[in-house]
Amino acid sequence: MFSLLNILRIVAVLEGVSYLLLLFIASPYKYFTQDDAYVKLLGMPHGILFIAYVVLVVIVGRQLKWTSRTFLIALAASIIPFGTFYVEKKFLNPKRKS
């Protein structure tokens, strides 16, 4: 039901969405209006989701016995826009064996 893999899948999507909102909505808004309200609003949730994603990648990666390459790709995805969506589709999809 709520395995760590499923939790990681959810966190990966939420982290990806929060990162995109921060990069493409809140930051440009701050730049053009000098109002950092959206950056402040989205910054903390994104930070928490980022940390949760990294911790869960370490735990789930060990459980699934990921190769070093897969593990590094999953970690690097957290700093690349749309990266966590790729990881969720490629490595975390329950229909696909990694």
Side-chain angles (χ1 to χ4, degrees), residues 65-81:
K65 297 182 175 142
W66 283 348
T67 64
S68 294
R69 183 175 189 267
T70 302
F71 180 71
L72 290 174
I73 289 170
L75 286 178
S78 66
I79 58 172
I80 300 170

Side-chain angles (χ1 to χ4, degrees), residues 30-62:
K30 177 184 175 183
Y31 176 76
F32 289 116
T33 67
Q34 305 303 316
D35 179 8
D36 63 353
Y38 290 118
V39 172
K40 287 181 179 179
L41 180 71
L42 293 170
M44 180 65 77
H46 170 69
I48 291 168
L49 289 165
F50 174 81
I51 292 168
Y53 175 81
V54 170
V55 169
L56 286 167
V57 162
V58 170
I59 294 168
V60 171
R62 285 184 180 168

Side-chain angles (χ1 to χ4, degrees), residues 79-98:
I79 58 172
I80 300 170
F82 301 99
T84 57
F85 301 118
Y86 171 79
V87 168
E88 194 278 327
K89 186 78 165 171
K90 178 101 172 148
F91 304 118
L92 304 178
N93 191 333
K95 296 176 185 173
R96 184 187 187 291
K97 295 285 183 187
S98 51

